[in-house]
Amino acid sequence: SEMCIRDRYMGRDCVRSSDMTVCSNSCQDMLKGIDKTAVKSCVQDSFEGSNHFKVDNKLLKKERDLFEDYTISSWPTVVINKMNYQGEMDALSIVQVICSTLESPPAVCDVAEREAIEQKYGYVNPDTTFPVYWLILLVVVITLFLGIFFVICRRQIRRSLAQEMDVQLSSTVAQYVKLQDKPNDKKRLVEAHYV
C-alpha cells in the first residue's frame, strides 16, 4: 500500500529527488486534513540529533530492531506471541490464529469462525435458500425411484430372457422330435414295401 501511495501521490521522480521535503509537502497537500506542523514535528523528534544525515532515526531504528529480533525477511510480516505468522495474509486468517491462541476467546472469535466457514464453503442463508432437509428428501426420493426403476427393468429383462429361452427350447425340442420321427417314417415305408 505504501508503494501505491508513493506512486499515486508522490510520483517516482519525487522519491529520486534530492530534496525530500518538497516531495513530502506536495504529498501532504494532496491528502487533505493532514497537519503539516505535526508531521514536521514528528520527523524532527524522531532523529537523535540535529544533523539528520549523521544521526540515527529512532522510529526507523525501532523498526530495524524489530526486523532483526524476529528475523523478518519479508514484508508485510505479522508477529503473534513473538512468532512470525506463516499463513494467509488476510484479516480473517490472522484473527482465527489469534483466537486459537486464547484460552477464553471473546465473542468476536465466534463471528470470525462463522465468517471463515461461510467464506470457505459459501454463504448459506436459511431464509432465502433451499432448506437442507428438502434437499435430503429429494435425494432419498430420487434414490427410491431409481431403485424401483432398476427392479422393474430387471424383472422385465428376466421375463424377456425367459420367453426367448422358451421359444428357443421349444424350437430345439421340435427339431429333435422331427429327427426322431424321420427314422420311424422310413421304417414304416420299408415295412409297407415288403407287405
Side-chain angles (χ1 to χ4, degrees):
S1 65
E2 289 178 4
M3 299 300 276
C4 294
I5 292 171
R6 183 197 75 195
D7 288 347
R8 180 176 172 127
Y9 295 108
M10 294 174 61
R12 292 185 188 279
D13 294 334
C14 188
V15 175
R16 294 184 189 118
S17 170
S18 59
D19 188 7
M20 293 299 288
T21 310
V22 173
C23 288
S24 176
N25 287 335
S26 68
C27 183
Q28 290 176 52
D29 288 340
M30 287 190 216
L31 301 171
K32 309 240 185 283
I34 289 184
D35 183 2
K36 284 186 181 181
T37 338
V39 171
K40 187 174 184 178
S41 173
C42 177
V43 170
Q44 293 298 327
D45 294 344
S46 69
F47 286 97
E48 294 175 347
S50 59
N51 188 348
H52 296 178
F53 294 107
K54 292 186 178 180
V55 294
D56 212 354
N57 183 301
K58 292 181 271 185
L59 296 176
L60 295 176
K61 183 180 183 325
K62 183 179 175 184
E63 288 293 313
R64 187 180 64 237
D65 290 346
L66 286 172
F67 268 71
E68 288 173 2
D69 290 346
Y70 295 110
T71 59
I72 295 172
S73 58
S74 64
W75 191 88
T77 297
V78 175
V79 178
I80 302 171
N81 292 334
K82 298 184 179 184
M83 294 180 68
N84 291 350
Y85 170 69
Q86 299 284 326
E88 293 290 323
M89 284 298 187
D90 62 274
L92 192 57
S93 298
I94 294 169
V95 168
Q96 282 183 299
V97 170
I98 292 170
C99 289
S100 70
T101 63
L102 301 174
E103 286 181 18
S104 54
V108 72
C109 291
D110 294 335
V111 172
E113 186 66 28
R114 250 192 330 262
E115 285 181 15
I117 291 169
E118 289 171 356
Q119 190 178 58
K120 185 173 182 178
Y121 299 108
Y123 180 70
V124 178
N125 183 352
D127 298 333
T128 59
T129 58
F130 199 65
V132 175
Y133 60 86
W134 282 110
L135 183 63
I136 292 170
L137 181 64
L138 181 64
V139 169
V140 168
V141 167
I142 289 173
T143 304
L144 285 173
F145 174 75
L146 290 174
I148 292 169
F149 181 73
F150 176 74
V151 169
I152 291 172
C153 286
R154 191 171 174 186
R155 283 186 182 172
Q156 189 65 22
I157 290 170
R158 279 186 178 172
R159 247 188 241 141
S160 176
L161 286 174
Q163 286 175 350
E164 193 171 320
M165 284 179 68
D166 283 346
V167 168
Q168 286 179 1
L169 187 62
S170 296
S171 171
T172 305
V173 168
Q175 287 175 357
Y176 180 72
V177 168
K178 282 184 184 179
L179 288 174
Q180 286 271 328
D181 287 343
K182 283 187 180 180
N184 288 342
D185 288 342
K186 285 184 181 180
K187 197 176 189 183
R188 284 184 201 154
L189 286 173
V190 171
E191 288 176 2
H193 282 280
Y194 288 115
V195 190

